[in-house]
Amino acid sequence: MVLTEKKGEKVDLIGPKNDRKEVDHRNGPPQSVTDAEKELKLMIEKLKTSSFELIIRNRIAEIFLTKIEDEIYSEVLKVILESLKSEYGVFGYLDENGALVVPTMIRHIWDNCEVPDKDIIFPRETWGDSAWSTAIREKRTIYSNEPATLTLEGHFQITRHISLPILYHNEVIGLFQVANKETDYTPEDVALLETIGKNIAPVLNARLHRDRAESERIKVMEELAKAHTRYQEHFNTVSIGLLRSTPGPGPEGTFIDVNPTMVKLFEADSREQLMALHPSELYLDASQRKIVSEAIISKGFIQGAELKFKTLKGKTIWCRFSVVKKIDADGLVYFDATIEDVTESKRLVEQLQKSEELFRMLVETMNDGLAITDTAGIMTYANPRLCGLLGYSREELIGKPWRGLFNEEALRILAEQTAKRKKGEGESYEIPWRTKDGRTIYTLISGKPIHDSLGNFMGSFGVISDITERKRAVETLRRTMEELAQSNKDLEQFAYVASHDLQEPLRMVASYVQLIEKRYKGKLDKDADEFIAYAVEGATRMQKLINDLLAYSRVRTRGKPFEPVDINKVMEQIMSYLSSNIQETGAKILWNGLPTIAADETQMVQLLQNLVGNGIKFHGKDPPEVRISAVREEKEWRFYVKDNGIGIDMQYKDRIFVVFQRLHGREEYPGTGIGLAICKSIVERHGGRIVVESELGKGSTFTFTIPIKEPMIDRA
Ligand code: ADP
C-alpha cells in the first residue's frame, strides 16, 4: 500500500513536460510526429522507469541507513514486493557457512507456510533443486510464469516467480525471490530486480562484513568477560593467598589487591582492614620486606621462599612465598605474590623428625638386635645390640652378604622366610648364627616385610632376640624331665615289684604271728600277750599298706583300655560296696543324670569309691551327705563330688594327693593315706586333673575332669 502511494507521488513528480523535452533533446530529433510521439512516450516510460528505480534505490538506501538488524531485510523486501507487485517474496543472505539466512519473512508467508520444521536458516544440504537454489548455485536469474512444481508439501502455491542471486564480485552473497504477481513477470521486472540486486550488493556486503566483524567482536568480548569471571572466581576461592602490591613508596610497600584467603590467613576482619596495612607489617621481622623487595626487583621473582609472618591477631605463621615482578602499561612496577600457610606441615615435619629421633634412640638402645634388609636380603641397618651379639662392627655387617654368619640349614630357613615375607607374611622363627669368634648363638627372629606406599616389597626388618641361654635351659629341662620320667617309671616298677614280692613273706609273718596269738594268748605272761598283739597289728597294717601300694602302682602298670562307661552304673556298684558304711553313718549319696564316658571302668569305680568313701568317712556332726554331679564343657567332662563333712585346710590342698600323706591320726579316722594318690593317678592316666576346694567345717568339693575329645587314648 505504501509503495502504491509513494509510487503515485513519485511518478507524478517525474511527470512534468520539461523533463520530456530534455529527454527528446538527448535522443536526437524525431522522425515524424507519430514517431516523435512514440519516441517521446518511450522516453517518458524510460524516464519513469529510471526515476522509479531511483526512488526504490533511495528507499532502500534509507532503509539500510535507518533500520537496524533484521528489520532491514523485511523493510527492503516490502519495497521490492510493492515495486514488483508480488504477493510473496524472500530477501536473504548467505552466512559464513554458506547457508541461506532469511532473517524475516513477511508475516503472511510465514503464516501460510506449513512446511514442517520451517526455519529462517537453510543450510546448503537442505536446499534441494528448487528455483532459488538453482539461481544461487548457477549465479543466474531464473524467472518463470509457470506454476512451480517442486514446492514442498505445505508450501503455498507459487504461480510465477523471479529468483535472483545477489552477486558481489561475482560471488553470491544473497537472494531475492518474488512470486505470485497477478500478471506475468516481464523482462522489465527482471531487469528492475537485477538493478536493485546490483545496487544493494555492495551495501549488503558491507553490512554482512560489519555484522560478522561485530559478532566476532562480541564473541571475543564475551570470552574476555568469561575469562575475567573465571579469574575473579579463582581469585576469590583459591585456597592460596594471592596479593598484588607495589614495591614502595619506602620499603613498606602498598597493597593493590588481596584475595579472601589472604584475609582469612592473616586473621583480618575485612579486606579493607588488611588493605590498609603495609605489606611489611605482615612480616614477623618487618625489615625483611626490604630485602625481599630488593631481591624481586633485581631477580624478577622469588620462588617458594619460606618465611615467618604474623597475623593481625599476633599469631606467627610459616608461609611459602612466591613473587613475580610485573610492569603495567604505564611502566609502573608491581608484585604479584602467592602465600601458602605451611605451619602445619612444618610442625608435622618437626614432629616426624622428633619421633624418628625417638625411634632411632629406641632401636639403638634396645636389648634385642635389629636388622633391616633390602629386597635382596642384604643388611642395610644393624643396631649396636646385633653388632655386640655377633662381635662384628656395623661396617662389617652392612652391605655384606650373610654367608659367613650362617650354616647351610640356617641359610635354607632364611631363604624360606624371605620368600614368605615377600608374600606379605611375617612370622617368628628360630635360627642359629655364627659369631665372629666362631661361637654359635641361637636367636628368635620376629620378621616383618616393609612395603612402600604403593605396596611394593622393599625389604624386611627383623628383631633378633638372643635365646641361646633359654635354649640351653629348655634343653636341660627336657633332659631332666626325661630323666625324671624314667626314674618315676623305675620307682613305680620298684613299688610294684616290692609290694608284690613283699606280700608273700609278709603273709607268712602275719599268719604265724596270728597263729602264735591264737595258741599262746593267756599262756605266757602279760607282756608277751601285749607284744604279740602289737606284732599282729603291725603285720596287719603292713599288709594293708603293701596292698594299697600295690593298688597304687597298678593304676599305671595294670590299667585297662578305655571303653564307654556309664557312670550311673558305676555309682550303683559303689552303693553296694559301701552299703555297710552308709548304713552305719546314715549317709545320703545323691546323683542323677551322670554321663557315659570313655574310661577304664575298674578305675572309675576305684576313683569314685575313694572320693565317696572319704566323703562318708570324714563326716562332721551331721549324717554325711555326698552329691555327685557332672557338667559337660567344650573338651571335657567336669565331675563334682561334694560332701558336708569336716572340710580340709586349703594349705594342704596339694599334700593330700601325695602317697601316705594324711591329715589325721589313725585313731581319729582310719586309713593309709593312699586313696587320693590313687585318685590323682587314675585321673591323670585319663588325661584329666583333680583338685579340691574346701573350707574347714563346711565340707569339701573334689573336682576332676575327663577329656571328651580323645577318649580312646590311654595315657599310661
Ligand atoms: P585316707 O583316707 O586313707 O587317709 P586319702 O588319701 O584318701 O587317705 O586322704 C588323705 C587325707 O586327706 C585324709 O587323711 C584326710 O585328712 C584328707 N581327706 C580326704 N578326703 C577328705 C574329705 N572328704 N574331707 C576331709 N578330709 C579329707
Side-chain angles (χ1 to χ4, degrees), residues 548 610-611 614-618 643 645-648 656-658 661-664 669-677 700 702:
D548 282 352
N610 271 327
L611 293 175
N614 279 352
I616 298 170
K617 181 163 71 176
F618 297 101
D643 65 49
I646 57 169
I648 300 163
I656 54 171
F657 292 102
V658 177
Q661 294 292 336
R662 313 194 69 233
L663 303 179
H664 306 93
Y669 296 99
T672 52
I674 212 159
L676 289 180
S700 320
F702 282 84

Side-chain angles (χ1 to χ4, degrees), residues 589-696:
I589 314 297
L590 306 160
W591 78 93
N592 71 27
L594 296 174
T596 295
I597 59 170
D600 176 338
E601 187 171 3
T602 316
Q603 292 190 344
M604 284 300 116
V605 173
Q606 236 179 325
L607 167 65
L608 281 157
Q609 190 178 337
N610 271 327
L611 293 175
V612 174
N614 279 352
I616 298 170
K617 181 163 71 176
F618 297 101
H619 67 84
K621 279 179 228 111
D622 297 331
E625 194 178 289
V626 184
R627 285 172 190 273
I628 301 95
S629 57
V631 173
R632 190 192 166 113
E633 291 186 347
E634 201 188 335
K635 291 181 176 163
E636 56 195 14
W637 279 102
R638 185 175 289 271
F639 288 85
Y640 299 92
V641 180
K642 183 174 162 43
D643 65 49
N644 61 343
I646 57 169
I648 300 163
D649 186 341
M650 285 306 277
Q651 64 172 306
Y652 304 122
K653 68 178 171 44
D654 295 323
R655 209 170 111 181
I656 54 171
F657 292 102
V658 177
V659 183
F660 300 141
Q661 294 292 336
R662 313 194 69 233
L663 303 179
H664 306 93
R666 255 177 296 127
E667 309 73 37
E668 240 180 314
Y669 296 99
T672 52
I674 212 159
L676 289 180
I678 291 178
C679 290
K680 186 165 187 267
S681 189
I682 290 174
V683 171
E684 283 174 358
R685 183 184 163 229
H686 282 76
R689 300 167 314 282
I690 183 165
V691 290
V692 66
E693 276 298 320
S694 178
E695 207 178 314
L696 271 177

